[in-house]
Amino acid sequence: MKALILNSGTGSRMASLTSERPKCMTEISARETILSRQLKAVSEAGITEVVMTTGAFDSMLISYCNSLELPLHITYVKNPFYERTNYIYSIYCAKEYLKNEDIILMHGDLVFENMVFDEVFASEMSCMTVSSTLDLPEKDFKAVVRNGKVEKVGIEFFDDAMAAQPLYKLLKDDWNKWLDAIVAYCESDDEAKKKCYAENALNELNGAANITALDLHDLFCAEVDDPDDLAAVSSKLRDIEARKVYMCFSTDMIHSGHITIIRKAARLGKLIVGVLSDEAVCSYKRFPLLPFSERKAMFENISGVYSVVEQKELSYRENLEKYRPDYVVHGDDWLEGFQRPIRDEVVSVLEGYGGSLVEFPYSSDDIYEELEKRARAEMSMPFMRRARLKKAIAMKGTISAIEAHSGLTGLIAENTVVYQNGAARQFDAMWISSLCDSTAKGKPDIELVDMTSRLRTVDDIMEVTTKPVIFDGDTGGLTEHFVYTVRTLERMGVSMIIIEDKTGLKKNSLFGTDVQQTQASIPDFCEKIRAGKKAQKTADFMICARIESLILEQGMEDALERAFAFTDAGADAIMIHSRKKEPAEIFEFVEEFRKRDKVTPIVVVPTSFNTVTEEEFRERGVNVVIYANQLTRSGFPAMQNAAKMILEHHRAKECDDICMSFKDIIRLIPEE
Ligand code: SPV
Ligand code: MG
C-alpha cells in the first residue's frame, strides 16, 4: 500500500499564504500543517511508502518533510509543467511508482479527522469519501452514486449526487484501470486533457473502476482552498482535539492487542483510561498481579494515554457521568455474554448526552492466553497464594469463602462465577472444613481424621486451584503439636488456620450443649496462640482464634473477654460462632468488639443464621464470611437420590436426567 499525495498545485486562492511556500505547508494549528497532519495519519496507519507530486517550492517541501522525521520513505515527483497542467498530469509523471499498487490517494489540501482516514484505510473495497449529510456544494466535487457505487465525479453533477472529497482507497486492479485512463489522457494530443481533473479520465470508465461510496456522514473532511476555509478548518480541528475518549481496562499485563486498541482510541481524542479497581478486578476475573496503583502507573506511561482514572465498578456509569466523554471505545466482544448489560448501560448513558460508542473487532490473543495461564500457575505457588488472603481482606473489606474437601469441590470454589446486572461475583477463598473433610471420609468430626490425612486433602485442593486457603484446625491439638502444624501449613501456602478454644474430645459446634464439650481456659488458649505466632516464619500467615462461648452458652461477656485476650496474645483474627437461627448475638458481639477493636478481622460461619447477606455483614464490620458445608450438604442428597433411583428402576436410565452428561464430566477437568 502506497500513499499518493498531490502537492503540485500553486494554491493561488490562498493569497499571501502561498506566496512563499506550498499550500500543504499552511499551518492549521499551533503544532500542525496540512501536510504534517496527513503524513502523520499515513504513518500511524503503518504505511511506509509515499509518492508525493510537487511543483513550486519543491526543495522547501522536501526539507520540510525530512524535518518531520517520520518513518516514511517518500518519493518526490516534480511535475515540470505544474503551472500549466493539473494534477492529472502530476499523476502521469509519477506513474512508474504507482502502477500495480494499492493506493491511498489524497489531495494535498485535504484535512480530515483521524477516524476518516481509519475508515478509508480499513475499507476492503476501493472507495471514495462522500457525505450524505452535507449539502451539495456549488463548486466543489460531487459524486454520482448509484447502488453504493461511484459512477462519476466532478463539480458539474447534481442528480443522484453526494458531496465528495478527493480521498480514495484504490485497490490495485481498480487503480490500474484509472491510471491507464489518466495515461491515455495525458498522452493524447488534446492539451485540455492535461489540464482537467484526473476524475475526468475516471468518468470515462463508467463505473468500471468499481469504487464504492464511503459515507462519512458528519465526520470531518474538507479541502482548504482559501483563507476562509483555513479559519473554518482550524476552528473545527480545535473542537476535534478537545474531544474526550474513554476506555476501561482490568488487565495487569499489557500486550500488543491492548496497544493497538489504545492507539486507535487515542486517534479519536484525549484518551482517558479508566483502570478498574482492585475489588472489581478480583470479582471479575482473578486477584490482580499488580495492585491498582501500579496498574494505574503502567497505563499513565503508555503513549497516547492522556489521563488515567479509577473505575470503581464494572459499570461505566459513574465515570461516564463524571467525564462525559465524546466516545467510549471497546472491543466488540461485549455484544454477547455477561458484559452485554454493561454495554447496554453505556449505550443508554451515552445517548443521554450525545456521546457515541466505537467498537473495534475483538482479537483474542494467544500470547495473552499464555500469559494468563502463567499468571495462574504463579498464583498457585505457596508464597503468592499465602499472602493473598490478607491482601484480599485489606482490598475488599469483606470477603467470602466456601468449603472444599477435594480437588473437585476445590474446582467449584475456584471457578464458579455468577453475573448479575453487569457485575461478577465469585468466592475469594476456600475453607477446608473439618466437618466436610471428615464426612467425605465417612468419619465423625472429632479430630479423628489425622493431620497427615487433612494435609493430603489440602494438597489435593491446592494442586488444582489458586485461591487462598483457610484451614479448619479444630482445637489445634496439643500446643507442642500445633507449632508443627503452623509451620507445615505455612510452607504449603495456606493463608490462615482457625483454632477453636476447646479442649479434650472435640465435637462439632453445631451440637452445642447437646453433647459434652469443654472450653479451654483463657490462659491455656492464649499460650497456644502465642506458641503458634512464634513458630510461623512469614508475616503473611494468620492465626485466627475461634470463640465457642456463645455455642456453649457461656454468655457475651465471656465471648468478649476471650476475644480481647486472644487478640492480645497475638491472634490475627477472631471467629465468633453461634448456632442460633437469629443473628442477634453475632451482631451484638461484633458491635461490642468493634467498639474497642476496629481492625482485627472478624470471621463468621453463618450456617444457622443464614438469612444474613454479605452486604449486611459488611455493614456491621464482619470481614470473612465462610459458607462452611454447603457443597457437602447439597452433594450428598443428590448422590443418595441417584443411588435410590438406580435401585428402584433396576437400571440407570431414569437417573440420567439428574446427572451431568458424560460429555461434560470428561471435559470438566482440563488437561494441561
Ligand atoms: C467446620 O466446618 O468444620 C466447622 C464449622 O468447624 S462448624 O461445623 O459450624 O463447626
Ligand atoms: Mg470444624
Side-chain angles (χ1 to χ4, degrees):
M1 168 82 64
K2 281 185 179 176
L4 168 59
I5 305 180
L6 305 174
N7 275 329
S8 311
T10 51
S12 52
R13 281 191 281 157
M14 294 290 280
S16 64
L17 288 167
T18 48
S19 58
E20 283 171 14
R21 59 184 175 198
K23 177 156 99 172
C24 61
M25 284 174 63
T26 305
E27 282 179 4
I28 46 176
S29 75
R31 288 171 287 114
E32 279 181 324
T33 61
I34 304 175
L35 181 58
S36 71
R37 188 175 169 88
Q38 287 184 341
L39 289 177
K40 213 168 127 221
V42 165
S43 160
E44 282 177 359
I47 299 174
T48 53
E49 285 291 327
V50 177
V51 177
M52 192 182 298
T53 68
T54 68
F57 310 113
D58 59 321
S59 51
M60 182 193 284
L61 187 61
I62 293 169
S63 43
Y64 175 66
C65 288
N66 288 340
S67 74
L68 295 174
E69 294 189 356
L70 290 165
L72 294 171
H73 175 255
I74 305 178
T75 305
Y76 302 92
V77 179
K78 183 165 180 169
N79 175 353
F81 310 118
Y82 67 89
E83 274 172 317
R84 56 184 166 89
T85 60
N86 205 339
Y87 60 86
I88 187 168
Y89 196 77
S90 307
I91 298 175
Y92 172 72
C93 296
K95 61 183 181 307
E96 65 177 291
Y97 305 108
L98 302 171
K99 186 91 181 158
N100 292 324
E101 298 282 352
D102 293 335
I103 294 285
I104 293 215
L105 164 60
M106 68 187 82
H107 285 202
D109 56 3
L110 203 58
V111 180
F112 38 80
E113 63 182 286
N114 289 331
M115 222 197 298
V116 168
F117 190 83
D118 292 346
E119 285 197 18
V120 171
F121 184 68
S123 172
E124 285 175 3
M125 291 182 286
S126 295
C127 64
M128 176 187 201
T129 52
V130 300
S131 169
S132 57
T133 50
L134 288 187
D135 292 337
L136 288 187
E138 267 307 305
K139 293 191 193 129
D140 288 329
F141 269 163
K142 292 165 282 289
V144 176
V145 179
R146 291 205 182 94
N147 299 324
K149 296 276 182 217
V150 173
E151 283 189 4
K152 306 260 184 231
V153 180
I155 57 174
E156 68 274 34
F157 305 112
F158 285 87
D159 293 339
D160 292 330
M162 288 165 115
Q165 296 296 348
L167 174 59
Y168 300 85
K169 176 171 183 176
L170 299 155
L171 299 181
K172 185 172 65 185
D173 291 344
D174 303 327
W175 168 238
N176 280 346
K177 287 181 198 152
W178 187 4
L179 187 59
D180 287 346
I182 290 172
V183 171
Y185 256 53
C186 291
E187 290 184 354
S188 87
D189 295 333
D190 184 352
E191 281 300 305
K193 288 191 169 175
K194 296 178 189 141
K195 293 182 185 162
C196 63
Y197 300 123
E199 281 76 2
N200 289 37
L202 175 70
N203 293 344
E204 302 254 330
L205 298 174
N206 286 318
N210 201 26
I211 298 174
T212 31
L214 182 73
D215 191 351
L216 300 178
H217 300 279
D218 291 324
L219 292 180
F220 179 67
C221 182
E223 281 177 294
V224 178
D225 282 330
D226 54 39
D228 287 346
D229 287 350
L230 179 61
V233 161
S234 300
S235 131
K236 183 74 189 178
L237 281 182
R238 272 195 298 278
D239 294 347
I240 288 173
E241 271 166 23
R243 283 181 192 158
K244 285 186 269 181
V245 186
Y246 186 81
M247 286 190 83
C248 173
F249 285 95
S250 62
T251 191
D252 44 19
M253 292 179 289
I254 298 284
H255 62 86
S256 52
H258 294 126
I259 299 293
T260 305
I261 198 164
I262 284 174
R263 283 225 181 103
K264 285 184 181 173
R267 290 170 57 71
L268 302 177
K270 294 187 166 112
L271 174 60
I272 303 172
V273 167
V275 167
L276 213 54
S277 68
D278 286 335
E279 187 177 344
V281 178
C282 260
S283 52
Y284 164 54
K285 48 180 203 182
R286 57 161 170 74
F287 197 92
L289 292 177
L290 301 174
F292 171 78
S293 56
E294 286 183 35
R295 287 182 288 121
K296 181 167 182 279
M298 183 168 82
F299 279 98
E300 277 165 346
N301 286 289
I302 294 179
S303 96
V305 174
Y306 180 75
S307 70
V308 181
V309 298
E310 181 178 25
Q311 181 172 317
K312 292 201 187 77
E313 295 173 355
L314 285 182
S315 161
Y316 284 50
R317 179 180 288 280
E318 189 182 330
N319 280 1
L320 296 193
E321 285 173 350
K322 188 164 173 189
Y323 301 106
R324 294 173 76 85
D326 299 275
Y327 298 106
V328 168
V329 172
H330 200 282
D332 59 5
D333 53 318
W334 67 349
L335 284 157
E336 306 282 328
F338 82 95
Q339 294 194 81
R340 179 75 207 204
I342 304 174
R343 179 189 185 273
D344 291 345
E345 186 184 57
V346 166
V347 170
S348 102
V349 178
L350 287 172
E351 266 170 18
Y353 66 83
S356 336
L357 176 61
V358 178
E359 288 167 324
F360 293 120
Y362 174 78
S363 64
S364 76
D365 202 305
D366 288 349
I367 306 172
Y368 187 67
E369 300 287 316
E370 182 54 35
L371 286 173
E372 197 53 36
K373 222 160 116 190
R374 266 196 256 161
R376 285 182 186 272
E378 187 91 341
M379 283 168 66
S380 69
M381 296 305 281
F383 68 99
M384 287 281 279
R385 190 194 306 244
R386 190 174 50 226
R388 273 209 315 281
L389 188 74
K390 236 184 205 174
K391 286 189 189 162
I393 296 171
M395 194 184 281
K396 296 182 79 173
T398 304
I399 63 161
S400 67
I402 190 158
E403 70 103 340
H405 55 266
S406 59
L408 188 61
T409 48
L411 283 178
I412 292 174
E414 176 84 7
N415 296 327
T416 307
V417 187
V418 164
Y419 300 105
Q420 283 175 333
N421 309 320
R425 292 177 56 76
Q426 56 178 306
F427 296 104
D428 302 290
M430 294 173 289
W431 164 244
I432 317 292
S433 151
S434 68
L435 171 68
C436 300
D437 201 1
S438 307
T439 304
K441 293 171 171 61
K443 301 258 170 71
D445 181 19
I446 52 171
E447 296 188 276
L448 171 64
V449 178
D450 68 17
M451 194 51 76
T452 307
S453 172
R454 301 280 322 275
L455 296 178
R456 185 67 244 152
T457 304
V458 173
D459 199 40
D460 284 346
I461 292 167
M462 285 189 146
E463 204 164 318
V464 294
T465 61
T466 65
K467 290 187 175 173
V469 170
I470 305 172
F471 184 77
D472 178 356
D474 289 318
T475 65
L478 295 172
T479 299
E480 292 82 345
H481 295 177
F482 180 57
V483 290
Y484 281 89
T485 307
V486 165
R487 278 199 215 114
T488 306
L489 291 173
E490 195 184 13
R491 201 170 49 239
M492 289 173 82
V494 169
S495 304
M496 175 154 87
I497 183 172
I498 301 186
I499 50 168
E500 54 198 276
D501 57 353
K502 286 201 293 227
T503 187
L505 180 63
K506 186 220 88 149
K507 298 269 175 75
N508 185 278
S509 300
L510 301 178
F511 284 122
T513 50
D514 301 349
V515 294
Q516 174 66 39
Q517 307 210 52
T518 318
Q519 216 170 356
S521 74
I522 294 179
D524 285 356
F525 201 67
C526 284
E527 190 43 45
K528 197 181 279 185
I529 294 166
R530 269 193 290 271
K533 287 309 293 175
K534 203 164 150 218
Q536 77 180 62
K537 295 276 176 246
T538 68
D540 306 328
F541 189 75
M542 299 170 81
I543 296 178
C544 172
R546 163 172 167 175
I547 295 159
E548 294 288 294
S549 305
L550 304 180
I551 294 278
L552 300 175
E553 296 174 4
Q554 296 303 302
M556 190 60 66
E557 287 285 294
D558 183 67
L560 287 163
E561 186 190 345
R562 284 170 176 268
F564 295 122
F566 298 160
T567 49
D568 284 349
D572 301 285
I574 292 293
M575 172 178 153
I576 183 66
H577 207 14
S578 161
R579 67 185 191 118
K580 296 230 165 88
K581 272 213 104 37
E582 291 307 316
E585 61 180 11
I586 289 286
F587 290 166
E588 187 186 340
F589 174 91
V590 175
E591 194 181 331
E592 291 304 317
F593 184 76
R594 281 283 173 251
K595 281 183 187 160
R596 272 179 57 188
D597 184 332
K598 300 260 182 290
V599 292
T600 304
I602 299 179
V603 182
V604 294
V605 176
T607 305
S608 309
F609 43 101
N610 55 15
T611 54
V612 186
T613 61
E614 287 165 35
E615 288 75 14
E616 183 166 7
F617 280 128
R618 174 194 292 269
E619 271 166 36
R620 291 181 180 270
V622 170
N623 306 94
V624 182
V625 180
I626 297 179
Y627 300 99
N629 44 50
Q630 285 74 8
L631 296 188
T632 296
R633 283 166 57 214
S634 56
F636 183 80
M639 290 191 278
Q640 201 174 39
N641 195 16
K644 273 191 195 159
M645 282 173 110
I646 293 171
L647 288 177
E648 276 165 12
H649 295 280
H650 305 205
R651 63 180 191 180
K653 183 180 179 307
E654 290 71 16
C655 164
D656 254 24
D657 292 345
I658 61 161
C659 290
M660 195 175 197
S661 79
F662 197 71
K663 188 175 108 250
D664 288 345
I665 193 85
I666 56 174
R667 298 226 157 97
L668 188 67
I669 318 289
E671 275 180 45
E672 278 298 308

